[in-house]
């Protein structure tokens, strides 16, 4: 079995196991889109970006998490389920690259429909948004955030598969703290990532999409190399 065939089989297996988690994430995406849609008003884009630090924080932290199905097996603090599963897989004719690419493919397959529904609701719910940006430009805006989300979600996989559940949870908290600091610092300097990317892409500055693709490639590369080394050397005892 080739590397990609093995990754595909892992993807299908994991998607079958997480179908209820997929539904829970889908409902979360709808909830987020509605709540943020009521808070974020396009006719206020010219006000100080500092008023949007919370929206930046939510976008940075939560959008990548839509690639993870919500289930009890993901509540890792007391239940380190992935270590046991990986220990079992390592006794089978499953290679480390197949495991890694299977996980990255799962993240992409989960993220794509979640963000489609999220940004569609945003487009029709946020007052003035559909008039301020064309559908084509908005598609690029959504792709920018998809690539960003995939890149950072991939880095979560290092901690998810490479370390204990408690370490993974602590790192997730650390991610949130770092994103909060970044959002606050940008806000203090009058910058909003959500505003700047939306307005920039709406004005034809499509290089934002290249930035998103670069973030995605860097995140996936870091995840693959870091996780490959970790899984080849980690003890599952």
């Amino acid at each position: 079995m080739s590397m990609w065939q093995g990754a595909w089989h892992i993807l299908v297996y994991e998607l079958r196991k997480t179908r209820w988690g997929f539904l829970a994430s889908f409902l979360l995406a709808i909830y987020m889109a509605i709540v943020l849609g009521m808070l974020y008003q396009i006719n206020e884009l010219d006000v100080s970006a500092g008023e949007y630090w919370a929206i930046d924080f939510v976008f940075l932290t939560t959008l990548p998490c839509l690639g993870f199905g919500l289930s009890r097996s993901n509540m890792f603090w007391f239940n380190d389920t992935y270590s046991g599963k990986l220990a079992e897989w390592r006794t089978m004719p499953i290679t480390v690259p197949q495991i890694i690419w299977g996980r990255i493919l799962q993240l992409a397959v989960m993220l794509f429909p979640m963000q489609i529904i999220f940004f569609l609701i945003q487009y029709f719910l946020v007052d003035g948004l559909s008039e301020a940006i064309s559908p084509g430009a908005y598609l690029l805006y959504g792709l920018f955030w998809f690539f960003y989300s995939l890149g950072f979600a991939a880095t979560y996989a290092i901690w998810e598969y490479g370390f204990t559940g408690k370490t993974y949870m602590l790192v997730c908290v650390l991610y949130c703290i770092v994103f909060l600091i970044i959002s606050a610092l940008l806000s203090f300097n009058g910058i909003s990532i959500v505003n700047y990317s939306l307005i920039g892409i709406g004005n034809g500055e499509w290089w934002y999409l290249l930035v998103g693709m670069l973030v995605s490639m860097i995140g996936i590369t870091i995840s693959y190399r870091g996780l490959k080394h970790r899984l080849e050397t980690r003890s599952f005892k």
Side-chain angles (χ1 to χ4, degrees), residues 142-204:
L143 286 174
F144 162 76
W145 283 106
F146 169 76
F147 286 127
Y148 158 82
S149 300
L150 181 58
F152 269 91
T155 67
Y156 282 104
I158 300 175
W159 309 98
E160 176 191 45
Y161 273 12
F163 296 84
T164 65
K166 186 174 182 178
T167 299
Y168 177 45
M169 290 296 293
L170 290 173
V171 170
C172 288
V173 173
L174 181 60
Y175 269 64
C176 290
I177 294 173
V178 171
F179 284 132
L180 178 60
I181 293 173
I182 291 173
S183 300
L185 289 176
L186 291 176
S187 175
F188 181 77
N189 289 280
I191 298 172
S192 168
I193 297 175
V194 173
N195 281 359
Y196 272 46
S197 59
L198 177 65
I199 296 173
I201 293 175
N203 290 333

Side-chain angles (χ1 to χ4, degrees), residues 49-189:
E51 298 185 20
Y52 291 96
W53 69 268
I55 294 177
D56 282 356
F57 175 69
V58 171
F59 268 62
L60 292 173
T61 55
T62 311
L63 288 184
C65 295
L66 293 178
F68 298 84
L70 299 178
S71 65
R72 285 188 300 175
S73 64
N74 285 336
M75 305 304 175
F76 287 159
W77 190 280
F78 297 109
N79 188 17
D80 192 13
T81 56
Y82 276 100
S83 292
K85 179 174 69 176
L86 290 170
E88 181 181 359
W89 282 0
R90 297 295 284 129
T91 65
M92 300 178 180
I94 301 175
T95 66
V96 168
Q98 288 173 341
I99 294 174
I100 298 171
W101 284 114
R103 187 67 183 107
I104 293 174
L105 286 175
Q106 185 186 1
L107 290 172
V109 170
M110 287 283 290
L111 273 171
F112 196 69
M114 300 301 170
Q115 296 205 357
I116 286 178
I117 189 65
F118 176 84
F119 285 105
L120 273 178
I121 292 175
Q122 288 271 292
Y123 192 66
F124 293 107
L125 186 60
V126 175
D127 185 32
L129 182 57
S130 58
E131 290 80 22
I133 185 170
S134 68
Y138 191 70
L139 173 62
L140 295 180
Y141 172 73
L143 286 174
F144 162 76
W145 283 106
F146 169 76
F147 286 127
Y148 158 82
S149 300
L150 181 58
F152 269 91
T155 67
Y156 282 104
I158 300 175
W159 309 98
E160 176 191 45
Y161 273 12
F163 296 84
T164 65
K166 186 174 182 178
T167 299
Y168 177 45
M169 290 296 293
L170 290 173
V171 170
C172 288
V173 173
L174 181 60
Y175 269 64
C176 290
I177 294 173
V178 171
F179 284 132
L180 178 60
I181 293 173
I182 291 173
S183 300
L185 289 176
L186 291 176
S187 175
F188 181 77
N189 289 280

Side-chain angles (χ1 to χ4, degrees), residues 11-22:
L11 167 65
V12 173
Y13 171 77
E14 288 294 297
L15 288 178
R16 286 174 178 170
K17 282 188 59 179
T18 58
R19 55 185 179 273
W20 292 113
F22 182 92

